[in-house]
């Protein structure tokens, strides 16, 4: 139940992020729904397909697509106000990152997929939807060129796996990973942390 709640919250938060980009590019309502949906469920679909959980949960559970559509029109209805408080969008996105990092890691861990898979699927679930979103609007994905974003998910995945060796229990493990990843992302935004850039020779 906890994973489902976190998954839905992350879907809603990321759908808002996708809708924000659709409005920025002045897409029509179909484009708005598409970007919100791929951002909200794209990472989870990639994770499920790669883990062999097919059809993906986002396509079999009827709640996910409506949540994305609600998130899209929620942003559209409030975008003028939200633009004035853009920090709330960044916080929602950071929350989505924390939720999806924990969900991705937990689902891989439940299949005894091993440490590399736990870390990999934590980052794919958290960053996959945003990557697809950026490709659809012909941008180099943000996770590949800026922000301490996918890196925060990777570190969160490492933390989740490390907590396997404690007696913390699954629920505290998931909540700890969520909170840590969320706070790490906020800290990185505040301090403008980025990985070193490659340079032309």
């Amino acid at each position: 139940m906890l994973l489902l709640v976190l998954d839905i919250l992350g879907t809603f938060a990321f759908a808002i992020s996708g809708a924000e980009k659709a409005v920025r590019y002045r897409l029509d309502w179909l484009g708005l729904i598409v970007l919100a949906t791929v951002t909200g469920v794209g990472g989870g679909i990639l994770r499920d397909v790669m883990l062999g959980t097919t059809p993906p949960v986002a396509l079999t559970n009827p709640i996910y697509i409506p949540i994305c559509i609600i998130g899209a029109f929620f942003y559209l209805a409030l975008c003028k106000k939200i633009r004035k408080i853009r920090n709330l969008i960044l916080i929602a996105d950071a929350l989505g990152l924390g939720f999806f990092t924990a969900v991705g890691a937990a689902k891989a861990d439940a299949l005894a997929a091993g440490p590399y898979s736990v870390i990999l699927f934590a980052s794919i679930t958290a960053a996959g939807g945003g990557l697809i979103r950026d490709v659809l609007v012909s941008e180099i994905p943000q996770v590949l060129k800026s922000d301490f974003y996918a890196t925060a998910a990777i570190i969160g995945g490492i933390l989740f796996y490390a907590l396997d060796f404690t007696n913390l229990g699954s629920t505290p493990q998931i909540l700890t990973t969520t909170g840590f990843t969320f706070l790490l992302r906020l800290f990185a935004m505040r301090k403008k942390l980025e990985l070193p850039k490659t340079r032309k020779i």
Side-chain angles (χ1 to χ4, degrees):
M1 179 58 72
L2 176 62
L3 284 183
L4 178 62
V5 171
L6 292 182
D7 215 13
I8 290 171
L9 290 174
T11 298
F12 183 75
F14 272 13
I16 291 174
S17 171
E20 187 270 340
K21 183 149 291 192
V23 170
R24 193 190 316 167
Y25 277 90
R26 300 180 62 83
L27 303 185
D28 62 18
W29 281 19
L30 178 59
L32 172 79
I33 292 171
V34 168
L35 279 198
T37 301
V38 299
T39 310
V41 300
I45 289 175
L46 285 175
R47 176 202 65 224
D48 288 349
V49 169
M50 294 175 72
L51 284 173
T53 306
T54 54
V57 173
L59 300 181
T60 57
N61 189 324
I63 196 171
Y64 286 95
I65 303 302
I67 285 291
C68 292
I69 295 172
I70 290 169
F73 286 99
F74 172 80
Y75 179 81
L76 186 63
L78 301 178
C79 61
K80 290 184 179 178
K81 295 179 181 179
I82 289 176
R83 281 195 191 115
K84 297 177 182 178
I85 47 175
R86 180 166 168 72
N87 284 342
L88 289 182
I89 297 297
L90 296 175
I91 290 172
D93 193 59
L95 273 172
L97 184 76
F99 293 146
F100 276 175
T101 296
V103 169
K107 290 199 172 185
D109 193 50
L111 296 176
Y116 296 116
S117 293
V118 168
I119 297 164
L120 173 67
F121 288 111
S123 57
I124 285 176
T125 308
L131 188 150
I132 297 170
R133 175 202 64 208
D134 291 347
V135 169
L136 286 177
V137 294
S138 300
E139 288 184 2
I140 297 174
Q142 291 294 317
V143 298
L144 301 181
K145 67 174 184 177
S146 63
D147 289 341
F148 200 81
Y149 196 85
T151 307
I154 291 170
I155 295 172
I158 293 171
L159 173 65
F160 184 95
Y161 183 73
L163 291 175
D164 269 346
F165 297 96
T166 69
N167 294 319
L168 199 59
S170 61
T171 297
Q173 181 182 15
I174 291 167
L175 294 177
T176 299
T177 301
T178 299
F180 173 83
T181 307
F182 168 63
L183 292 174
L184 179 60
R185 173 62 180 151
L186 288 185
F187 177 78
M189 287 191 294
R190 184 176 181 83
K191 298 298 183 181
K192 299 185 179 352
L193 296 181
E194 291 186 353
L195 294 178
K197 297 287 193 300
T198 56
R199 297 182 182 275
K200 291 183 178 180
I201 298 175

